[in-house]
């Protein structure tokens, strides 16, 4: 009679061993099982007891404001993800002239959305499911060309004295890993009107300290882009007139339409003229379209330039919003004919 193959024999032994284990698992509870279960219960009780003693935001914010927090009105402001560095600049400028303290927020990632209401409300008095005070976490974001960066908060609570009022500000930066798509600021204060006043100041400061103003920027390939920013900086690279191979009359028309309008904007406004002008550069590759644009960008120092190309053409609406906010501004669209190629080809509004 043929002997079974070694591999089959080994497999059979494994199955027999497995059956043994299964049989053992079907036996009744033993004293060791009781001890193990008891240790688990004790560890769980100890963890819950220690968790209840850890600091929580509700008493911290309530003690600082000096008023009950359950029914305080909350003022909220939101910005797109690419404004993270600008809102940080605004917060830095706001706290620079005020007595304040910054408390980090921990234990919030992958727990779902939360806001100031969860930090100061009474829905979870033991605080087991709410974020906790902790270390201040930061992220480095681009703040200008040539590698200029700024340290920005991820999530913090700022307690500050604002005149006769005391305010608590929850700052949350954009976070792709936690599905936080926007930058948000939520404010509570010991006076009903103080929160709205602080929110208005922060929005004005974010505009005043906007790092994109006067820069050349382009949208990245994703809504969070490189280092968490949807906008990328580019250094201006001036091109001399001699590098443009254009007929003189064509060069004069281009210069008058773009640079002439930019430099005479005050006179045009006083005369009741609008400043929205367009220029279409058309021709096969190699005729100088890109060089012409580079020349114009180099000449328009102090003008915000937003570039759209490739798979970012669907962000025309966002580009126009930036241009209106950071005037004087110019939008450069490469391969503009692709916008009308097919209306549902891109995922945004065109």
């Amino acid at each position: 009679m043929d002997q079974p193959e070694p591999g089959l024999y080994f497999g059979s032994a494994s199955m027999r061993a497995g059956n043994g284990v299964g049989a053992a698992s079907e036996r009744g509870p033993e004293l060791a099982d009781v001890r193990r279960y008891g240790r688990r219960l004790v560890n769980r009780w100890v963890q819950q007891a220690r968790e209840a003693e850890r600091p929580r935001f509700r008493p911290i914010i309530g003690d600082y404001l000096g008023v009950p927090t359950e029914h305080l009105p909350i003022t909220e402001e939101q910005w797109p993800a690419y404004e993270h560095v600008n809102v940080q600049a605004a917060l830095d400028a706001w706290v620079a002239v005020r007595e304040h303290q910054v408390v980090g927020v921990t234990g919030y990632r992958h727990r779902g959305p939360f806001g100031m209401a969860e930090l100061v409300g009474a829905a979870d008095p033991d605080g087991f499911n709410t974020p906790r005070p902790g270390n201040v976490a930061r992220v480095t974001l681009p703040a200008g060309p040539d590698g200029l960066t700024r340290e920005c908060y991820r999530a913090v609570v700022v307690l500050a004295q604002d005149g006769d009022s005391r305010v608590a500000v929850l700052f949350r930066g954009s976070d792709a890993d936690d599905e936080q798509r926007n930058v948000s600021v939520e404010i509570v204060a010991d006076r009903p009107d103080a929160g709205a006043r602080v929110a208005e100041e922060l929005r004005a400061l974010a505009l005043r300290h906007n790092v994109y103003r006067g820069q050349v920027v382009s949208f990245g390939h994703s809504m969070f882009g490189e280092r968490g920013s949807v906008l990328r900086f580019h250094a201006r690279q001036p091109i001399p007139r001699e590098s443009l191979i254009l007929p003189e009359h064509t060069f004069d028309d281009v210069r008058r339409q773009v640079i002439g309008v930019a430099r005479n904007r005050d006179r045009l406004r006083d005369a009741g003229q609008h400043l929205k002008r367009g220029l279409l550069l058309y021709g096969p590759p190699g005729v100088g379209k890109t060089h012409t644009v580079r020349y114009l960008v180099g000449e328009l120092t102090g003008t915000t330039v937003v570039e759209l190309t490739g798979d970012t053409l669907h962000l025309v609406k966002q580009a126009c919003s930036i241009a209106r906010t950071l005037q004087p501004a110019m939008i450069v669209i490469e391969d503009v004919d692709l916008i009308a190629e097919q209306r549902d080809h891109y995922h945004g509004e065109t």
Side-chain angles (χ1 to χ4, degrees):
M1 182 176 180
D2 296 337
Q3 294 294 328
E5 298 180 4
L8 296 178
Y9 181 76
F10 179 79
S12 177
S14 298
M15 287 188 289
R16 287 197 300 271
N19 291 335
V21 172
S25 65
E26 294 177 358
R27 295 199 299 267
E30 300 177 353
L31 183 59
D33 298 326
V34 176
R35 288 197 296 267
R36 283 193 292 267
Y37 185 71
R39 285 198 298 269
R40 288 184 180 180
L41 289 179
V42 172
N43 290 337
R44 183 177 302 176
W45 291 335
V46 170
Q47 183 179 5
Q48 291 180 349
R50 292 176 179 176
E51 183 75 13
E53 294 178 354
R54 292 178 56 195
R56 291 179 286 125
F57 276 110
R58 185 186 176 198
I60 291 176
I61 296 175
D63 291 346
Y64 183 79
L65 298 181
V67 296
T69 60
E70 290 86 348
H71 304 294
L72 287 178
I74 299 174
T75 303
E76 182 178 6
E77 292 284 341
Q78 289 195 356
W79 291 263
Y82 56 81
E83 295 282 3
H84 190 161
V85 65
N86 295 320
V87 183
Q88 179 67 52
L91 186 62
D92 290 343
W94 187 76
V95 301
V97 293
R98 291 169 174 82
E99 294 184 4
H100 71 281
Q101 55 180 303
V102 180
V103 184
V105 181
T106 61
Y108 65 90
R109 306 188 78 179
H110 311 300
R111 287 194 177 186
F114 79 94
M116 183 64 80
E118 285 71 30
L119 298 187
V120 301
D124 185 20
D126 294 326
F128 292 126
N129 298 315
T130 58
R132 293 284 190 169
N135 295 333
V136 176
R138 295 177 173 85
V139 59
T140 302
L141 297 178
D146 302 322
L148 182 65
T149 60
R150 189 185 194 106
E151 293 292 320
C152 300
Y153 294 135
R154 289 187 179 273
V156 298
V157 170
V158 179
L159 307 175
Q161 184 80 34
D162 184 48
D164 295 332
S165 301
R166 289 194 169 196
V167 299
V169 180
L170 171 62
F171 174 96
R172 289 196 66 190
S174 59
D175 189 344
D177 295 333
D178 197 45
E179 298 184 356
Q180 174 72 11
R181 292 293 182 259
N182 295 320
V183 181
S184 67
V185 169
E186 298 183 46
I187 307 167
V188 294
D190 58 356
R191 297 188 179 187
D193 59 337
R197 184 181 67 250
V198 172
E200 185 178 351
E201 290 182 36
L202 289 175
R203 187 162 287 278
L205 287 170
L207 181 59
R208 184 185 309 168
H209 296 277
N210 197 296
V211 299
Y212 304 122
R213 186 184 302 279
Q215 302 290 344
V216 181
V217 296
S218 68
F219 284 92
H221 294 290
S222 68
M223 284 308 295
F224 284 87
E226 184 181 16
R227 293 189 181 182
S229 175
V230 72
L231 287 179
R232 297 176 179 176
F233 292 91
H234 303 278
R236 272 184 168 85
Q237 299 176 346
I239 294 179
R241 165 67 180 94
E242 294 75 18
S243 297
L244 293 180
I245 306 176
L246 291 176
E248 196 64 32
H249 67 278
T250 301
F251 173 78
D252 291 340
D253 289 343
V254 169
R255 184 178 175 85
R256 180 172 58 254
Q257 181 73 359
V258 180
I259 299 176
V261 171
R263 293 181 178 175
N264 293 280
R265 57 182 178 270
D266 293 334
R267 294 175 57 190
L268 290 171
R269 285 199 189 98
D270 293 341
Q273 300 294 317
H274 69 84
L275 302 180
K276 295 180 180 179
R277 307 297 173 93
L279 180 67
L280 177 62
L281 301 180
Y282 172 78
V287 300
K289 301 187 298 296
T290 301
H291 267 55
T292 302
V293 171
R294 289 178 179 174
Y295 168 79
L296 296 173
V297 171
E299 286 289 306
L300 294 175
T301 56
T303 297
T304 305
V305 180
V306 184
E307 298 178 350
L308 292 176
T309 183
D311 57 0
T312 64
L313 294 178
H314 63 286
L315 298 173
V316 171
K317 182 178 180 180
Q318 289 87 336
C320 291
S321 175
I322 294 171
R324 284 191 298 267
T325 303
L326 304 179
Q327 299 180 43
M330 179 173 69
I331 300 176
V332 177
I333 303 178
E334 185 176 351
D335 296 327
V336 66
D337 55 309
L338 296 181
I339 291 180
E341 181 183 32
Q342 185 175 341
R343 296 186 64 87
D344 60 351
H345 183 72
Y346 300 104
H347 299 292
E349 297 185 31
T350 56

